[in-house]
Structures are given as C-alpha cells and as structure tokens.
Amino acid sequence: MRLYQNPLSSNARRVLLLARHLDLKLDEVFVDLGNEAERARLREVSICGKVPVLDDGGFVLWESCAIMQYLADLHGAEDLYPKALQARADVNRWMFFAAQHFSPAVGILTWEYLWKKFVTGQGPDPVEIAKGEAFVHEHASVLDKHLAQHQWLSGDALTLADYAVVAPMMYIERAKVPVTQYPHLMAWFERMRQLPAWQQTETPWPF
C-alpha cells in the first residue's frame, strides 16, 4: 500500500497522524511540492494532483478524510471510526466540518502568510487576511463551545474527528491563526499535541 504525501501539507498530515496511530507500514512516497516534475508524476497517479493519495493495489483514493475512513475500516479501528450508525455519523459530521469549514478558513491564512510568497513572490493581502480571520473566528467559536463540554470532538475518546480537525492547527503560530483566545479549543489542542502520533509527524518549517 503506497501513500504519496508531504508532511508540510495539513491534508497529508491528517493521514500521517492516523498511520502513526495505527502503526501502519505504508510505502510512503515523499512528493516535493515545489518540484514541477514531481507534481507532474503525482498527476499521473491521481487526477487531482494533490497530496495525499493512497494507492492500495491499484485502487487509488484521494481526499484525506476519505483515506482516513478507508484505512480505519480496513484495519478494524472501530475505536477511532465506530460502526454504530449514530456514532459514525457524529464522527463524519466533524470530519466534514474540518474539510468544509475549519480547514479552508485556516487555509486562507496559511496561504497568505506562508505559501504565497514561496509560490508567487507576493506578500500577504490585508483583505484576504481579514476574511480568513473572520472565518476562523466563526468556526473556532463553534469548536470552543463544543469542547467546553467535551474532552474530545466525538464521543468520549479520540476518534478520526480529532485528527481531521487538528491537522491545520499545525500552523497556528506561523500563519498567525487567531485561536489563542479560545481556551477550550486550545486545551484540546494541547491534548492532541501530547499524542505520540502528533509528535512523530512534526516537521520543521524549511523556509
């Protein structure tokens, strides 16, 4: 089973977090996202041309949350991805929240503060930063209210939901993501940072 990944991608890190948690032995292929030749080879594997991509004997799967769900089911990780209908729906709800709301909001700031200059040579756009900050506050407040009453996002223990939502928080300092005023969110983030999977997937910023 082969995983095309780059740990600087928060989407790829979602899958890496799960892989480390489950101690999966994957053939991990590092993709240099700054190298056009490597990106071209990735597009030969996956029509989306982005990491992560899982190739399981010719079954090619992209989208990080879909890969997480597939791996959890494949390896019987019912503690992380329960089979009971309502419990699974709750985990899915937070994974969709991560993909549709929280990650895109954080992504505006990571693009403006981190990736934009590397890719385009241009500096941050104050209008885009203001938009990103507004979206982050909107969705971080939802997380903070929920986590005021819960240790974990879904149920009483760690699940795929936590790994899906936490991944983009890898850049909260470098991308100046305004979440430090949300105490319950930050307490949960600290719990996530103490997990072996998080510590094993930390990668120094190279630029």
Side-chain angles (χ1 to χ4, degrees):
M1 190 179 300
R2 179 168 295 173
L3 178 68
Y4 297 84
Q5 58 88 10
N6 184 308
L8 294 177
S9 160
S10 61
N11 291 325
R13 192 170 183 184
R14 281 189 181 120
V15 178
L16 292 172
L17 285 165
L18 177 62
R20 299 298 180 270
H21 181 103
L22 297 177
D23 195 25
L24 300 183
K25 306 304 181 185
L26 302 175
D27 177 13
E28 295 183 15
V29 179
F30 175 84
V31 179
D32 183 353
L33 299 175
N35 184 304
E36 176 54 37
E38 291 198 19
R39 292 204 308 273
R41 284 195 291 271
L42 182 63
R43 287 193 292 270
E44 294 176 359
V45 176
S46 166
I47 58 174
C48 73
K50 297 178 180 180
V51 293
V53 177
L54 182 73
D55 184 347
D56 184 9
F59 173 63
V60 176
L61 187 63
W62 40 274
E63 287 297 325
S64 59
C65 288
I67 296 172
M68 293 172 74
Q69 292 168 342
Y70 178 76
L71 290 176
D73 276 339
L74 186 65
H75 293 277
E78 292 187 38
D79 55 331
L80 295 175
Y81 196 41
K83 290 188 179 297
L85 183 61
Q86 291 186 358
R88 175 163 288 208
D90 191 56
V91 172
N92 288 340
R93 178 250 304 276
W94 287 109
M95 296 183 80
F96 281 119
F97 176 87
Q100 294 290 328
H101 301 297
F102 191 58
S103 290
V106 176
I108 295 173
L109 299 178
T110 57
W111 168 254
E112 291 295 327
Y113 282 119
L114 301 180
W115 299 112
K116 187 176 182 180
K117 188 170 184 62
F118 172 70
V119 175
T120 71
Q122 299 176 350
D125 180 343
V127 174
E128 287 298 303
I129 288 173
K131 181 172 72 174
E133 289 177 344
F135 287 152
V136 167
H137 284 302
E138 178 183 354
H139 304 309
S141 65
V142 172
L143 289 166
D144 195 63
K145 289 176 184 176
H146 179 74
L147 289 164
Q149 304 296 325
H150 302 85
Q151 285 284 102
W152 307 101
L153 285 176
S154 183
D156 298 324
L158 177 76
T159 65
L160 295 189
D162 299 286
Y163 281 140
V165 173
V166 79
M169 293 184 71
M170 63 191 285
Y171 287 133
I172 62 171
E173 294 178 355
R174 290 189 173 276
K176 305 177 184 178
V177 181
V179 292
T180 56
Q181 63 267 58
Y182 299 101
H184 308 296
L185 175 58
M186 293 305 295
W188 167 81
F189 180 46
E190 185 57 32
R191 289 194 290 276
M192 296 300 295
R193 291 177 62 189
Q194 298 307 311
L195 296 175
W198 181 271
Q199 296 174 7
Q200 292 166 12
T201 55
E202 285 191 300
T203 301
W205 179 248
F207 307 115

